């Protein structure tokens, strides 16, 4: 489907049927979904209605448009064309109340299988040259008729030429009139087909046969241009599906065989050769290699991944062979989920889009009424020539088509969603984009958002007479086997320094104080400085050092044996490398960033001081919720968090954004998600949203401006029918092409 008027036409026709509710027609993903009560309307009748309007319809994933809505249930899979579809309520977010056993009928409105005229994008036409498509054939056909009529007029006379143009017009407009008639029968008298039919037939009655035939031809040309532009807008979304390879090398009992990637099951192992794309989300079982994740997250620098680390489907293995254990099926991998989110985001329509839809519903009847007044009033009131004013009224009808206005918003939204998805920025619909563009303040969770979420050893202070290596060897020995983040940080530091942990036994945790173990046959402790002081395991000068380190926002542990201090280890969850740059960008955009954290004030102050931010510390979830509500009272507020602990605040904010590289939480919890763990992607997301809204304003101004100019010139007789249809088609193509500019927009460019 290539214009928003098409979606409205299908929606109105289908929702009139008994037992049908929740009808949604997505323009860019060409998807029809609905709820159907059992024992009500036959799904075949729904198909018939859609086909009568001039569109094809097929179950998602079907190779033929003849397949019906009530075809057998299929698993939700995403192949090369993103054609997978789940015949289940959960996939569409509808209520189960009326679904019964039959569930909802859902289908993909694959337009283009009807007769020529206002024919829409046929899946079979994808990848073909324009002249090989249904629309292209209509252009060639009507163009040939027009040329033959001109030739006939030159060879005979103007009288005979008139009848040749009349015949060309009638033949060309016949399929359009057929669909106009079907739309009228379904209660939709004000469609572009209706206006086109009235204008063409009216022109014949006033003797403008040549111009009528030209208008029919230009209408067909406009359809081709609209189809090409709409197809370009969809290509970005379709390209996401093509990131996942079609086949995989499945390894069984040491032997490999090639299998379809969409048939891989959880737990299976695949071989990924250097240069290959990874066929499924999984975990590396063997091998270490650089992984280019740019197709999925937009991160341009390959990252090294080894055994036990996760990889995304669609990423590229750059260096060495890997064996990867599949952790998600094709229907549930990161790419599939991104595609699903982008497609379903069309349901979350922007307030601007909803307003324009409401506006267009009374705009079309108003234009018809205005055209009727233009035709009737001058001849009746002043005795003006009927033919002149009928001609001007017909031109007004063609100018009045709202296609350009109605598509101005969804085309921009679709381009924004697609562009953002390719850069790891997911926004769930137009409403989120519009809200993000209005954000004036941003609240950040600290741990895992502004910081890495993994403490690092920042300072090692050995006691007098103790070497740093001895201190780390004992500390690592005590902490061996512990999963505590501080213990893991100490073990990582020892490993990086090439220091082997001393053998330890009988390790046990001392609740709220630390850990003790037998290291080298004698007891050793890693504990808080206070516990060490109580146990005589820390010297006075080291107590002062510990206090100073704590004022810097660091967590300090003391390492000691019975009656002997070995030294101090300080750790801190450091800010991400790009956090300071991100805050500078936000302030340059007149957005105030603030930290909301449950950590103690000293730690929060240390991080906030480095980043130049305000902070609120020791906050419980309900405190964050209250503060977000207060911030929202003065303007748009965005909350950035991990999607779990911050769930209440994320939901309360105008826009909740979850961070995390492709995790379920990042993709599902909030209104938007940042797939790359980069704080600078936060201002990039806002920049993209603002660019989208600016693009929408340009499109609306362009559509309304052109219409206003040509409405006046048509009434004054300065422009005729063929200019009118060119202006209408031209406006639609221009706003679509303008929307396509967003596909090339780089939100990371902060200049």
């Amino acid at each position: 489907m290539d214009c928003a008027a098409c979606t409205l036409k299908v929606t109105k026709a289908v929702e009139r049927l008994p037992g049908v509710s929740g009808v949604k027609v997505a323009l860019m993903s060409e998807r029809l979904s609905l709820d159907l009560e059992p024992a009500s309307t036959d799904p075949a009748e729904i198909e018939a209605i859609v086909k009568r309007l001039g569109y094809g319809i097929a179950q998602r994933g079907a190779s033929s448009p003849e397949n019906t809505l009530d075809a057998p249930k299929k698993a939700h899979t995403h192949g090369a064309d993103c054609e997978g579809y789940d015949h289940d309520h959960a996939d569409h977010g509808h209520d189960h109340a009326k679904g019964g056993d039959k569930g909802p009928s859902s289908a993909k409105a694959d337009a283009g299988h009807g007769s020529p005229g206002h024919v829409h994008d046929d899946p079979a036409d994808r990848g073909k040259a324009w002249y090989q498509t249904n629309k292209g054939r209509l252009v060639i056909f009507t163009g040939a008729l027009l040329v033959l009529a001109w030739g006939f007029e030159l060879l005979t006379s103007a009288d005979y030429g008139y009848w040749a143009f009349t015949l060309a017009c009638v033949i060309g407009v016949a399929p359009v009139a057929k669909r106009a008639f079907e739309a009228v029968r379904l209660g939709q008298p004000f469609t572009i087909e209706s206006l086109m039919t009235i204008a063409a037939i009216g022109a014949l009655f006033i003797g403008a046969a040549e111009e009528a035939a030209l208008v029919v031809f230009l209408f067909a040309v406009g359809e081709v241009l609209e189809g090409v532009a709409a197809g370009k807008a969809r290509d970005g979304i379709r390209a996401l599906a093509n990131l996942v390879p079609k086949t995989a090398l499945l390894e069984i009992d040491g032997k490999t065989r090639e299998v379809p990637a969409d048939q891989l099951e959880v737990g299976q192992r695949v071989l990924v050769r250097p240069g290959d794309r990874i066929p499924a989300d999984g975990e590396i079982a063997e091998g270490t290699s650089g992984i280019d994740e740019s197709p999925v997250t937009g991160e341009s620098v390959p990252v090294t991944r080894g055994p036990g680390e996760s990889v995304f489907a669609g990423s590229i293995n750059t260096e060495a062979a890997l064996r990867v254990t599949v952790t998600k099926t094709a229907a549930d991998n990161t790419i599939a989920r991104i595609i699903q989110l982008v497609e379903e985001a069309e349901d979350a329509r922007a307030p601007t889009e909803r307003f324009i839809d409401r506006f267009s519903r009374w705009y079309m009847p108003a234009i018809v009424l205005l055209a009727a007044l233009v035709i009737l009033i001058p001849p009746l009131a002043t005795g003006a020539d009927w033919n002149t004013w009928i001609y001007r009224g017909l031109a007004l009808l063609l100018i009045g088509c709202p296609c350009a206005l109605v598509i101005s918003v969804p085309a921009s939204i679709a381009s924004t969603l697609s562009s953002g998805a390719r850069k790891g920025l997911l926004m769930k619909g137009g409403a989120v984009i519009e809200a993000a563009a209005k954000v004036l303040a941003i609240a950040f969770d600290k741990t895992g958002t502004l910081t890495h979420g993994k403490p690092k050893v920042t300072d090692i202070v050995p006691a007098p007479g103790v070497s740093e290596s001895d201190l780390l060897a004992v500390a690592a020995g005590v902490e061996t086997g512990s999963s505590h983040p501080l213990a893991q940080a100490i073990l990582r530091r020892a490993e990086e320094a090439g220091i082997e942990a001393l053998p330890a036994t009988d390790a046990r945790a001392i609740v709220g104080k630390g850990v003790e173990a037998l290291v080298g046959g004698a007891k050793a402790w890693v504990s808080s400085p206070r516990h060490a002081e109580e146990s005589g395991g820390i010297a006075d000068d080291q107590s002062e050092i510990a206090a100073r380190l704590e004022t810097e926002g660091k967590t300090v542990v003391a390492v000691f044996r019975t009656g002997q201090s070995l030294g101090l280890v300080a750790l801190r969850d450091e800010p991400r490398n790009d956090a300071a740059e991100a805050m500078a960008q936000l302030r340059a955009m007149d957005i105030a960033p603030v930290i909301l954290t449950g950590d103690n004030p000293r730690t929060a102050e240390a991080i906030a001081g480095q980043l130049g931010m305000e902070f609120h510390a020791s906050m419980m979830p309900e405190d964050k919720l209250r503060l977000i509500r207060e911030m929202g009272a003065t303007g748009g507020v965005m909350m950035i968090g991990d999607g779990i602990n911050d769930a209440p605040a994320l939901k309360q904010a105008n826009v909740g954004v979850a961070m995390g590289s492709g995790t379920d939480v990042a993709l599902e919890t909030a209104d938007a998600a940042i797939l790359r763990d980069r704080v600078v992607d936060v201002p990039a997301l806002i920049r993209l949203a603002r660019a989208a809204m600016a693009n929408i304003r340009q499109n609306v101004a362009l559509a309304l401006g052109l219409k206003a100019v040509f409405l006046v010139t048509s009434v004054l007789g300065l422009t005729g029918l063929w200019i009118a249809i060119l202006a209408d088609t031209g406006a639609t193509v221009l706003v679509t092409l303008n929307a396509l500019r967003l596909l090339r927009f780089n939100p990371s460019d902060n200049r």
Side-chain angles (χ1 to χ4, degrees):
M1 309 183 80
D2 56 31
C3 71
C6 311
T7 66
L8 189 61
K9 193 188 308 177
V10 174
T11 300
K12 284 186 173 181
V14 173
E15 68 186 5
R16 291 160 53 97
L17 298 172
V20 173
S21 61
V23 179
K24 294 179 182 178
V25 181
L27 173 64
M28 288 300 160
S29 58
E30 301 166 287
R31 184 184 65 229
L32 164 64
S33 61
L34 53 88
D35 291 336
L36 180 61
E37 289 188 29
S40 56
T41 299
D42 188 337
E45 187 176 347
I46 298 174
E47 285 191 326
I49 291 289
V50 174
K51 289 178 180 177
R52 278 166 53 191
L53 290 172
Y55 308 99
I57 184 167
Q59 181 177 331
R60 301 193 73 191
S63 59
S64 166
E66 302 306 317
N67 289 346
T68 57
L69 283 165
D70 54 352
K73 180 174 179 178
K74 290 192 174 185
H76 188 128
T77 59
H78 286 279
D81 290 324
C82 188
E83 297 287 331
Y85 129 77
D86 189 347
H87 206 61
D88 190 283
H89 255 336
D91 189 41
H92 300 288
H94 294 307
D95 194 340
H96 258 304
K98 296 183 180 180
D101 294 335
K102 198 167 188 174
S105 290
S106 181
K108 185 173 189 280
D110 285 332
H113 298 284
S115 51
H118 199 58
V119 180
H120 296 265
D121 188 26
D122 186 339
D125 287 343
R126 292 172 189 161
K128 293 182 179 179
W130 69 268
Y131 53 82
Q132 295 174 310
T133 65
N134 282 346
K135 294 178 183 179
R137 287 191 289 270
L138 178 63
V139 168
I140 294 170
F141 177 64
T142 53
L145 288 175
L146 196 59
V147 170
L148 288 173
W150 271 321
F152 191 73
E153 183 180 51
L154 288 173
L155 294 174
T156 58
S157 66
D159 290 338
Y160 289 117
Y162 174 83
W163 292 108
F165 283 117
T166 300
L167 183 62
C169 176
V170 170
I171 294 174
V173 84
V176 182
K178 178 179 180 296
R179 269 183 311 284
F181 176 69
E182 293 292 349
V184 171
R185 284 181 58 191
L186 294 170
Q188 300 178 56
F190 303 111
T191 63
I192 179 59
E193 287 85 0
S194 300
L195 300 188
M196 182 67 204
T197 302
I198 293 170
I201 294 174
L204 292 179
F205 274 104
I206 62 173
E210 181 177 356
E211 202 158 2
L214 181 60
V215 164
V216 172
F217 170 70
L218 291 175
F219 180 78
V221 171
E223 290 298 289
V224 169
L225 294 177
E226 287 181 8
V228 170
K232 291 287 185 184
R234 295 187 184 103
D235 283 345
I237 298 175
R238 290 179 188 145
L240 292 172
N242 293 328
L243 294 176
V244 181
K246 307 298 182 293
T247 60
L249 293 175
L250 178 63
E251 194 173 75
I252 301 177
D253 297 329
K255 297 181 180 179
T256 60
R257 63 186 178 90
E258 193 171 76
V259 299
D262 59 6
Q263 293 182 10
L264 291 174
E265 298 178 359
V266 174
Q268 291 183 327
R269 182 174 292 189
V270 293
L271 173 65
V272 185
R273 298 168 300 191
D276 285 354
R277 288 185 185 271
I278 296 170
D281 280 12
E283 185 177 286
I284 297 175
E286 292 180 24
T288 300
S289 180
I291 305 296
D292 178 3
E293 297 179 342
S294 59
V296 183
T297 66
E299 181 59 65
S300 57
V301 180
V303 291
T304 301
R305 295 274 190 263
E309 294 189 279
S310 298
V311 289
F312 301 131
S315 300
I316 302 169
N317 178 20
T318 62
E319 297 170 3
L322 296 175
R323 284 173 172 78
V324 176
T325 302
V326 177
T327 56
K328 290 182 180 178
T329 63
D332 202 35
N333 68 36
T334 303
I335 293 290
R337 296 163 73 82
I338 290 173
I339 292 168
Q340 185 180 349
L341 282 173
V342 172
E343 287 184 343
E344 293 179 352
E346 288 189 71
D347 293 339
R349 311 179 77 191
T352 301
E353 186 175 3
R354 290 195 296 268
F355 169 76
I356 288 178
D357 277 352
R358 291 194 299 270
F359 173 77
S360 66
R361 291 179 186 180
W362 61 260
Y363 167 83
M364 192 84 119
I367 287 293
V368 173
L369 177 61
L370 179 61
L373 294 176
V374 166
I375 291 171
L376 296 173
I377 291 177
L380 293 176
T382 66
D385 180 61
W386 277 97
N387 283 357
T388 299
W389 288 98
I390 289 174
Y391 182 89
R392 294 180 183 182
L394 295 177
L396 196 64
L397 276 182
L398 294 181
I399 284 292
C401 174
C403 282
L405 179 63
V406 177
I407 202 174
S408 59
V409 178
S412 297
I413 295 297
S415 293
T416 303
L417 294 174
S418 178
S419 177
R422 294 300 298 269
K423 296 174 177 66
L425 309 173
L426 297 184
M427 289 179 279
K428 298 182 180 178
V432 176
I433 292 173
E434 190 159 338
K438 297 176 181 177
V439 163
L440 298 177
I442 299 183
F444 287 88
D445 175 49
K446 181 180 73 67
T447 305
T449 301
L450 288 175
T451 66
H452 292 282
K454 293 182 179 179
K456 290 184 177 180
V457 174
T458 57
D459 301 88
I460 299 175
V461 186
V466 179
S467 68
E468 184 175 307
S469 59
D470 289 341
L471 171 60
L472 275 177
V474 173
V478 174
E479 299 287 17
T480 297
S482 173
S483 60
H484 193 281
L486 296 182
Q488 291 296 308
I490 291 172
L491 291 170
R492 280 195 301 271
R493 180 59 180 267
E495 183 180 357
E496 290 168 2
I499 297 171
E500 189 173 343
L502 293 175
T505 58
D506 298 336
R508 71 181 185 90
I510 307 171
V511 179
K513 297 179 179 179
V515 183
E516 71 172 32
L518 285 175
V519 180
K523 279 191 175 182
W525 289 264
V526 175
S527 73
S528 65
R530 180 176 298 177
H531 175 66
E533 191 172 355
E534 293 172 355
S535 303
I538 188 170
D540 291 341
D541 60 335
Q542 287 210 316
S543 293
E544 295 174 3
I545 294 172
R548 176 176 57 78
L549 291 171
E550 286 180 340
T551 60
E552 296 174 4
K554 298 173 182 176
T555 300
V556 180
V557 295
V559 183
F560 63 97
R561 290 185 183 274
T562 304
Q564 180 192 6
S565 172
L566 299 179
L568 303 173
V569 179
L571 309 94
R572 186 166 66 185
D573 187 8
E574 293 292 332
R576 297 181 186 274
N577 296 334
D578 63 342
E581 171 62 21
M583 298 309 111
Q585 290 185 24
L586 289 174
R587 285 190 289 271
M589 298 166 69
D590 295 323
I591 295 175
V594 61
I595 294 176
L596 306 185
T597 180
D599 267 356
N600 65 75
R602 285 186 304 187
T603 301
E605 184 178 13
I607 298 295
Q610 291 183 59
L611 302 179
M613 302 171 66
E614 295 183 7
F615 71 93
H616 297 269
S618 302
M619 302 197 78
M620 299 297 288
E622 56 269 25
D623 298 324
K624 291 184 179 182
L625 180 65
R626 173 184 50 77
L627 196 58
I628 289 292
R629 190 177 289 123
E630 292 174 1
M631 293 170 66
T634 58
V637 60
M638 178 182 285
M639 172 71 190
I640 319 288
D642 61 11
I644 300 175
N645 300 331
D646 303 305
L650 286 169
K651 291 300 180 185
Q652 178 63 41
N654 298 93
V655 182
V657 180
M659 291 188 68
S661 299
T663 63
D664 290 348
V665 168
L667 292 175
E668 293 176 358
T669 303
D671 303 308
I674 293 174
L675 299 188
R676 303 182 291 191
D677 284 332
R678 304 199 328 175
V679 188
V680 289
D681 278 350
V682 174
L685 185 145
I686 296 173
R687 219 172 274 120
L688 179 61
R690 289 182 176 181
M693 295 311 298
N695 191 275
I696 287 171
R697 288 190 291 271
Q698 293 164 8
N699 278 351
V700 171
L702 188 62
L704 290 178
L706 281 174
K707 296 225 176 278
V709 169
F710 284 101
L711 280 173
V712 173
T713 58
S714 295
V715 172
L716 296 177
L718 301 177
T719 52
L721 288 176
W722 68 277
I723 290 292
I725 194 67
L726 267 184
D728 171 61
T729 298
T732 303
V733 172
L734 283 176
V735 298
T736 307
L737 291 177
N738 187 48
L740 291 178
R741 293 191 305 112
L742 290 168
L743 293 173
R744 298 191 302 273
F745 179 75
N746 180 14
S748 298
D749 188 352
N750 64 335
R751 288 176 293 178

